[in-house]
Amino acid sequence: MCGIVGYIGSKEAQPILLSGLKRLEYRGYDSSGIALILPHNKNIGIRKAPGKISVLEKLVKSKPLCGMVGIAHTRWATHGAPTQVNAHPHSDCGGQIAVVHNGIIENYEALKNQLIKDGHAFRSQTDTEVIVHLIEKFYKGIPLEEAVSLALKLLIGSFAIGVVAVNEPNKLVGARRGSPLIIGVGQGENFLASDVPAILGFTKEVVFLDENEIVVLDKNNFKISNLDGKDVFKTTTHINWDIDQAEKAGFDHFMLKEINEQPKILESLINSRIQKQTGKICFQEQNIPEAKLKEIKNIFIVACGTAYHAGMVAKYVLESLCQVPTQIDVSSEFRYRDLLIGPETLVIAISQSGETADTLAGIREAKRRNCSIISICNVLGSTLTRESDGVIYIHAGPEIGVASTKAYTAQLTALYLFAFYLAQVKGIISGTKINKLLTELSKVPGYQSQILKQQQKIAVLARKHSHLGSFLYLGRNVNYPSALEGALKLKEISYIPAEGYAAGEMKHGPIALIDEYRAVVCIAPESKVYEKMISNIQEIRSRKGKIIAIATVGDQEVKKLTREIIYVPRIEEIFSPLLVVLPLQLMAYHIAVKRGCDVDQPRNLAKSVTVE
Ligand code: AGP
């Protein structure tokens, strides 16, 4: 996913834009660029290059740009290879307008053909370039923002854009549809960005643009309207993250920092959801009336990747505690299914970023069927949260590492709390039972801290197995999703083929894989399916599989079967996914580091998949 930064103020824009791009590096990119209005010669200066931002920095060092209005971009190639000519910003034929763009223009070929017929000269293979030539086409005697609106109305697809023009040097224009864009409100300066970290070092006051909204900024004001020119009034939101939260805080990688933040995040999340006076569970932003929740006949969970695994755990919890039939689907399947859902369905959308294209498309489908929608999300004001009926923020702080860790356990915790809340609303379980569950859940942060004290031991075990060519992860019941999550963590940052499986499926195929060249991670905490897991481990042992077990402290059985054991504290089975995942996260991390992989920005991956 690409990154956008824009600046208009009284300071030199170049260093501000470059520092903003660096804070967006985690989103993944393969080229970057910057464009400034050059006041002295009434022109636009553009510098752009494939590769990391350090390449762009060298370029601007050798050929600096001076100006106080500009836009910048990190590009993740979708149309056209990551080359200098395809990097953003893109300019019009006359070099008087510059545009940066996140998203995909689905009808760009037809538009490009028509523009070429109209005499426009294209330089790149990108879809983005049609935008700047369309603006050029309309920008005749009307304000820039009107020309931009006319151009955007012709686009099919998604966009977040930043635009500057020589003719109106004291103006910065931004607009969005299907891709996030925020305004940073400063003192005598204003910013555009695709995500909060880019501007957090300059201001904590932000405004979130909604679908089909356009903003005109000068250094002291901003004006938002829809694409038909109708004014839209918005207040600013104060971001309570500090810039250092978006830094590594002394850890080697964001991922390791975020793994270690989990106890603190879960503790504050649990405490913030329990009303001190009554002990009842409360969700400030959950706006679905309790009467409506009482009528819910079924639940459908929609998510991708790690969020999907959190949803799989939630299915066990919701059906067990709330006795509501719960289905789950990956968003990319849900959105194209012939859905049997309606007003009696509660759709729970889980998304760390709140910008995942398939999940957004899924809830829009659900909305068309008059379902109630609750989103479990980490990013304040993200698109998903503004299109849901209710929101449960997980308040995990910025998750920079592409591999999701703290967001996963925070999503799980929010889902446990929501299940207690729903059971409370539906009168399924008593207050005493809820208190018992809350007491058990409240032990999790402390237990996680105990597990994190084993990091060195886990690192040694991980490095010892880092040469193996493939891994199999096995779990049962509420830890079957834990097996899938463990496999995803490993494969996405170490590039080792890894598969998660329901352990009960072993005889239906996977047991053929077992030999001494493969590690099998067996998730076997104390549970009603523990004996079954032991049987699986015995089957693997007899075939010389390399067994790594996650077991409960004090387990005497497992140590007869393998020496490679990571122990987790004893907890009620339903909560064990919150514990067993930490060793899985740390194993993946240390194996990837041992293999020299780019842990925070793994190849081919972006932090948020905002396109299909
Ligand atoms: C998880 O480690 C991956 N980065 C990826 O699967 C991610 O969980 C998925 O893309 C969903 O993202 P979201 O939670 O922002 O919607």
Side-chain angles (χ1 to χ4, degrees):
M1 184 175 70
C2 315
I4 287 176
V5 189
Y7 176 78
I8 186 163
S10 310
K11 298 173 193 142
E12 276 305 320
Q14 181 179 290
I16 293 170
L17 294 172
L18 289 174
S19 80
L21 287 188
K22 282 187 197 163
R23 295 206 195 285
L24 294 178
E25 281 195 286
Y26 68 87
R27 298 158 69 93
Y29 68 102
D30 44 35
S31 64
S32 64
I34 181 172
L36 263 65
I37 300 285
L38 307 177
H40 55 283
N41 65 2
K42 284 199 158 310
N43 209 329
I44 287 184
I46 293 182
R47 303 282 184 271
K48 54 187 187 173
K52 293 295 187 190
I53 292 171
S54 52
V55 178
L56 178 63
E57 285 180 312
K58 282 200 193 79
L59 181 57
V60 296
K61 194 170 167 45
S62 61
K63 295 199 289 180
L65 295 168
C66 300
M68 293 174 277
V69 184
I71 49 179
H73 189 259
T74 49
R75 176 178 183 251
W76 183 259
T78 52
H79 294 73
T83 59
Q84 195 271 349
V85 76
N86 286 334
H88 302 198
H90 289 284
S91 62
D92 64 319
C93 303
Q96 302 296 294
I97 309 165
V99 167
V100 291
H101 164 237
N102 287 354
I104 287 186
I105 307 305
E106 293 171 14
N107 62 331
Y108 84 95
E109 278 152 333
L111 292 169
K112 182 169 179 175
N113 294 337
Q114 185 56 52
L115 286 161
I116 290 170
K117 280 199 195 104
D118 295 349
H120 289 261
F122 280 75
R123 304 178 188 90
S124 79
Q125 295 81 42
T126 67
D127 53 336
T128 300
E129 197 178 350
V130 297
I131 301 174
V132 70
H133 289 289
L134 279 174
I135 296 170
E136 178 186 18
K137 174 181 172 176
F138 293 115
Y139 193 31
K140 308 240 185 293
I142 58 172
L144 178 60
E145 61 272 21
E146 284 182 28
V148 171
S149 294
L150 289 170
L152 296 179
K153 283 180 183 174
L154 298 177
L155 305 185
I156 296 170
S158 59
F159 56 78
I161 62 167
V163 190
V164 291
V166 170
N167 285 350
E168 297 180 81
N170 300 314
K171 197 176 264 188
L172 171 60
V173 176
R176 67 151 287 173
R177 181 199 298 152
S179 189
L181 193 65
I182 64 172
I183 301 158
V185 184
Q187 300 294 324
E189 59 187 14
N190 284 316
F191 305 81
L192 272 183
S194 30
D195 199 356
V196 168
I199 52 163
L200 211 47
F202 305 102
T203 177
K204 292 188 176 225
E205 303 307 316
V206 301
V207 177
F208 296 94
L209 282 185
D210 277 309
E211 290 297 77
N212 294 312
E213 288 181 349
I214 184 167
V215 61
V216 184
L217 300 151
D218 64 30
K219 65 182 183 180
N220 296 308
N221 306 291
F222 66 88
K223 180 171 174 289
I224 301 171
S225 59
N226 65 21
L227 294 184
D228 295 322
K230 186 171 175 300
D231 286 354
V232 175
F233 177 74
K234 284 177 183 262
T235 55
T236 59
T237 300
H238 179 76
I239 298 295
N240 55 13
W241 300 342
D242 295 320
I243 191 63
D244 60 352
Q245 275 185 291
E247 295 300 335
K248 296 176 193 169
F251 289 93
D252 290 341
H253 298 98
F254 283 114
M255 184 178 174
L256 188 58
K257 169 181 173 248
E258 289 151 9
I259 289 172
N260 282 276
E261 286 179 328
Q262 292 178 99
K264 177 169 53 63
I265 288 163
L266 297 199
E267 186 164 28
S268 62
L269 179 56
I270 294 165
N271 294 338
S272 68
R273 298 301 182 197
I274 301 170
Q275 255 167 7
K276 300 285 175 277
Q277 304 81 350
T278 63
K280 278 200 159 220
I281 296 158
C282 61
F283 292 108
Q284 291 83 347
E285 313 91 350
Q286 194 302 95
N287 304 323
I288 300 176
E290 292 195 359
K292 179 77 180 158
L293 290 176
K294 282 193 177 120
E295 292 161 10
I296 293 299
K297 292 284 182 294
N298 59 70
I299 294 173
F300 215 123
I301 299 172
V302 182
C304 302
T306 288
Y308 171 71
H309 300 151
M312 286 180 73
V313 174
K315 171 178 162 63
Y316 290 96
V317 179
L318 287 162
E319 290 188 329
S320 157
L321 294 184
C322 306
Q323 293 159 26
V324 177
T326 300
Q327 297 178 79
I328 179 166
D329 218 340
V330 289
S331 310
S332 53
E333 289 300 313
F334 177 86
R335 66 182 288 189
Y336 294 113
R337 195 180 289 287
D338 293 332
L339 293 164
L340 303 175
I341 56 178
E344 294 177 344
T345 303
L346 172 66
V347 170
I348 301 177
I350 310 170
S351 174
Q352 188 283 130
S353 64
E355 301 298 347
T356 298
D358 285 324
T359 304
L360 290 175
I363 61 148
R364 288 165 185 162
E365 206 45 49
K367 206 172 253 185
R368 272 193 283 280
R369 288 168 165 75
N370 301 313
C371 301
S372 299
I373 296 161
I374 282 189
S375 55
I376 312 281
C377 191
N378 190 36
V379 178
L380 206 63
S382 57
T383 304
L384 177 68
T385 62
R386 281 177 286 111
E387 298 192 13
S388 302
D389 301 307
V391 182
I392 297 178
Y393 283 112
I394 63 174
H395 298 300
E399 185 175 69
I400 309 297
V402 164
S404 187
T405 51
K406 63 177 182 176
Y408 175 66
T409 52
Q411 286 162 356
L412 281 180
T413 303
L415 287 159
Y416 284 116
L417 290 165
F418 178 70
F420 303 164
Y421 168 79
L422 187 60
Q424 176 183 287
V425 164
K426 292 174 84 73
I428 305 276
I429 52 178
S430 66
T432 313
K433 168 83 172 162
I434 287 181
N435 287 337
K436 195 166 165 291
L437 289 165
L438 282 173
T439 304
E440 192 73 358
L441 178 62
S442 303
K443 294 175 187 170
V444 166
Y447 286 170
Q448 287 189 333
S449 298
Q450 288 180 31
I451 295 167
L452 292 172
K453 289 196 176 80
Q454 300 182 64
Q455 290 193 61
Q456 275 322 308
K457 176 186 173 227
I458 295 168
V460 167
L461 183 151
R463 287 193 282 265
K464 185 176 160 189
H465 295 83
S466 59
H467 64 288
L468 291 175
S470 71
F471 281 66
L472 180 63
Y473 289 73
L474 300 178
R476 285 178 178 258
N477 193 32
V478 76
N479 282 309
Y480 163 38
S482 304
L484 298 178
E485 176 58 12
L488 174 60
K489 285 290 93 51
L490 183 71
K491 75 180 81 167
E492 71 174 323
I493 62 173
S494 71
Y495 319 138
I496 299 172
E499 206 169 356
Y501 241 98
E505 279 290 288
M506 276 294 275
K507 293 188 177 66
H508 302 282
I511 200 161
L513 293 169
I514 305 304
D515 58 29
E516 64 267 41
Y517 307 109
R518 170 191 315 278
V520 186
V521 181
C522 300
I523 303 165
E526 205 170 273
S527 75
K528 67 184 176 194
V529 289
Y530 170 76
E531 292 304 331
K532 302 296 175 195
M533 280 306 296
I534 291 295
S535 307
N536 287 124
I537 296 174
Q538 285 163 341
E539 284 172 346
I540 295 157
R541 188 163 179 265
S542 61
R543 290 165 179 80
K544 297 191 177 50
K546 291 187 179 312
I547 298 158
I548 299 170
I550 314 288
T552 300
V553 168
D555 186 317
Q556 298 304 316
E557 200 60 34
V558 166
K559 65 185 182 186
K560 296 173 193 165
L561 301 170
T562 176
R563 281 200 296 273
E564 311 290 12
I565 307 172
I566 301 164
Y567 290 103
V568 298
R570 175 171 292 99
I571 196 165
E572 270 198 37
E573 178 179 4
I574 196 169
F575 298 116
S576 55
L578 283 167
L579 301 187
V580 302
V581 76
L582 268 66
L584 305 180
Q585 293 167 347
L586 288 165
M587 272 173 53
Y589 171 79
H590 288 292
I591 288 173
V593 168
K594 175 78 174 146
R595 291 170 75 110
C597 299
D598 187 343
V599 170
D600 285 331
Q601 296 172 38
R603 69 185 182 196
N604 309 340
L605 286 176
K607 181 58 186 171
S608 174
V609 183
T610 57
V611 293
E612 266 197 273

